Amino acid sequence: MTNRRIVPLLILVTLTLVFMSASSEAQRPVPSPELLSPTPPMGWNSWNKFGCDVSEKLIREIADVMVSSGMQAAGYQYVNIDDCWQVSRQADGTIVADPERFRGGIKSLADYVHSKGLKLGIYTDAGHMTCQKRPGSFEHELQDAKTYASWGVDYVKIDWCYAEELDPQVQYAKFHDALAKSGRPIVFSICNWGVKAPWRWGPATGNLWRTTGDITDNYDRMSVIGFSQNGLEKFAGPGHWNDPDMLEVGNGGMKRDEYRTHMALWAILAAPLLAGNDLRTMTAETKELLTNSEVIAVDQDPKGQQGHRVWEEGPLEIWLKPLAGGSQAVGLFNRSDAALQMQLDSKLIGARPSSKLRDLLDHKDLGPIKDSYTTEVPGHGVLLLRVSK
Ligand code: GAL
């Protein structure tokens, strides 16, 4: 071939390649839910500790400490601003962030959070107003999803206040479509407190859905929520998770054994792990529990199977979560005030006598289970085990 014929051919090939890559960029599909949240989302959310007292300064400082404390290394990724960041809408309907508290705007905050290797989450409401009476997204679903995408938001939690006359299944489907059209992969957290059994329609709509009303920082509320999740396990899996609400670990209202129960139970439940405390001032004990790699590994196990109860006797419960590779996580929970003996029979969980037990909270090998393993579990406490195949 002569040079005269090669040059135009090369130009044509180059142009075709450029066109192909540009069009695949424009049409790049938003990843499937399985890719967006293959394991339960992990991060932090402002609500449980700070309520409406949110600001750009707080979010930046939380992002900083998420990295410096080792939370990021332990798997926590999302920094989520809950209610109260928004104040009004512009004439064209665009949502406006509080100009006093978020002076630089959400986009620059997202850039900062991304520069730390973290992701930013935001909050809105499916109704006319948020629970704290800020503008909701009703009839602005598409516009808000586009705005969030243009800011670089990675996660959106959508609440259910001032939405009584609406059907959650219909409203949340609108957001699903709006987010899919936004052109950005955004984790979708449905927060309608279990109204109209969201586990039935949530898997086709969002990545996680709240199954109950709000958690508070005390053992009674936390345990009522956590232990009531039994039976919902069949609805969860990679990309779509039951959400028994955010963590209260470190907020001060529960004792050590109660927070250990909270963390272990949420791990058995394959629940999203969204820390809800002030990471800047947390104690060594809180940090150790939140970053316990062996407990987190149960929550984040790639099999993505939510655990369930296999035995109960009054205040005593045994829960089991099958793990990838054939081993199992087993929680021995004592819901009474006083310490009690508990026995785990190998037959109950289909373990061989030679199956090895490991205490995950305290990182201790306990030897083979034999026919059964007996131990004392503290009041409101737990023994979280990994049982080998
Ligand atoms: C509730 C929601 C909480 C928090 C709060 C904010 O409805 O369940 O998690 O987001 O609203 O006002």
Side-chain angles (χ1 to χ4, degrees):
M1 236 191 255
T2 65
N3 263 355
R4 246 196 247 156
R5 291 172 76 186
I6 289 174
V7 171
L9 193 66
L10 278 176
I11 291 173
L12 186 70
V13 169
T14 313
L15 282 175
T16 310
L17 285 175
V18 166
F19 174 76
M20 277 170 61
S21 78
S23 66
S24 72
E25 180 76 19
Q27 288 166 14
R28 185 181 295 156
V30 168
S32 68
E34 286 73 17
L35 293 176
L36 214 45
S37 58
T39 58
M42 288 178 68
W44 175 90
N45 175 293
S46 54
W47 183 253
N48 284 354
K49 174 70 186 176
F50 297 96
C52 263
D53 193 12
V54 288
S55 66
E56 179 179 298
K57 181 170 178 290
L58 171 71
I59 301 303
R60 282 176 180 250
E61 289 179 5
I62 291 291
D64 292 345
V65 70
M66 198 119 139
V67 178
S68 62
S69 65
M71 292 280 288
Q72 181 187 42
Y76 294 86
Q77 199 184 4
Y78 294 97
V79 181
N80 294 353
I81 319 169
D82 208 275
D83 208 344
C84 302
W85 63 269
Q86 63 283 71
V87 282
S88 58
R89 289 190 183 275
Q90 290 170 12
D92 72 353
T94 306
I95 191 76
V96 178
D98 185 330
E100 297 291 315
R101 288 172 168 262
F102 294 88
R103 209 164 278 182
I106 305 294
K107 166 105 183 62
S108 76
L109 190 53
D111 290 345
Y112 183 76
V113 168
H114 293 156
S115 77
K116 299 259 152 187
L118 298 165
K119 295 185 168 171
L120 185 78
I122 217 165
Y123 161 102
T124 187
D125 190 286
H128 309 266
M129 285 191 287
T130 73
C131 297
Q132 305 305 314
K133 299 201 166 69
R134 306 303 176 99
S137 286
F138 183 63
E139 291 182 331
H140 290 277
E141 295 85 4
L142 201 55
Q143 184 177 31
D144 285 354
K146 284 200 174 132
T147 304
Y148 303 154
S150 75
W151 288 342
V153 166
D154 307 290
Y155 183 115
V156 61
K157 166 177 168 181
I158 304 186
D159 215 338
W160 193 241
C161 278
Y162 303 100
E164 298 80 20
E165 75 280 18
L166 304 172
D167 178 341
Q169 195 169 347
V170 173
Q171 286 314 116
Y172 284 107
K174 286 187 191 164
F175 281 106
H176 170 271
D177 296 347
L179 290 170
K181 282 188 198 135
S182 75
R184 186 174 172 85
I186 298 179
V187 170
F188 179 14
S189 157
I190 296 171
C191 176
N192 77 325
W193 326 306
V195 175
K196 255 195 135 185
W199 44 88
R200 297 203 185 137
W201 43 270
T205 309
N207 299 101
L208 57 156
W209 52 86
R210 281 273 300 279
T211 55
T212 68
D214 287 11
I215 195 167
T216 44
D217 186 18
N218 64 70
Y219 180 78
D220 285 348
R221 183 65 185 148
M222 179 279 292
S223 58
V224 160
I225 291 179
F227 291 111
S228 72
Q229 302 300 297
N230 195 46
L232 297 183
E233 63 277 0
K234 53 184 166 291
F235 302 101
H240 44 272
W241 309 100
N242 286 304
D243 175 9
D245 208 355
M246 304 170 292
L247 297 172
E248 291 281 11
V249 174
N251 278 336
M254 289 185 239
K255 300 197 181 97
R256 177 172 180 266
D257 279 317
E258 298 174 335
Y259 280 138
R260 279 158 63 100
T261 294
H262 187 8
M263 192 73 188
L265 184 52
W266 262 234
I268 291 261
L269 293 173
L273 297 179
L274 293 165
N277 58 319
D278 189 345
L279 304 181
R280 299 168 304 180
T281 55
M282 67 181 157
T283 62
E285 186 178 298
T286 296
K287 184 163 90 176
E288 201 185 308
L289 182 56
L290 283 172
T291 59
N292 185 315
S293 59
E294 296 194 69
V295 177
I296 290 174
V298 170
D299 182 80
Q300 296 288 303
D301 182 77
K303 194 177 174 90
Q305 199 168 329
Q306 179 176 329
H308 64 285
R309 186 166 49 225
V310 289
W311 178 89
E312 71 184 307
E313 178 192 304
L316 305 176
E317 303 194 12
I318 298 179
W319 286 62
L320 181 152
K321 180 185 199 283
L323 302 172
S327 55
Q328 328 191 69
V330 175
L332 276 54
F333 296 95
N334 174 6
R335 297 178 68 177
S336 78
D337 292 338
L340 283 171
Q341 288 246 315
M342 291 187 76
Q343 181 173 313
L344 176 66
D345 288 329
S346 57
K347 288 207 182 80
L348 176 74
I349 56 169
R352 290 175 297 133
S354 59
S355 296
K356 294 197 188 74
L357 302 180
R358 182 161 170 86
D359 172 346
L360 302 180
L361 277 158
D362 291 327
H363 311 294
K364 278 195 288 213
D365 286 328
L366 303 175
I369 186 170
K370 304 192 187 131
D371 288 342
S372 67
Y373 176 78
T374 304
T375 188
E376 188 177 88
V377 181
H380 291 182
V382 60
L383 176 69
L384 181 65
L385 296 170
R386 189 183 176 101
V387 184
S388 71
K389 204 157 86 172

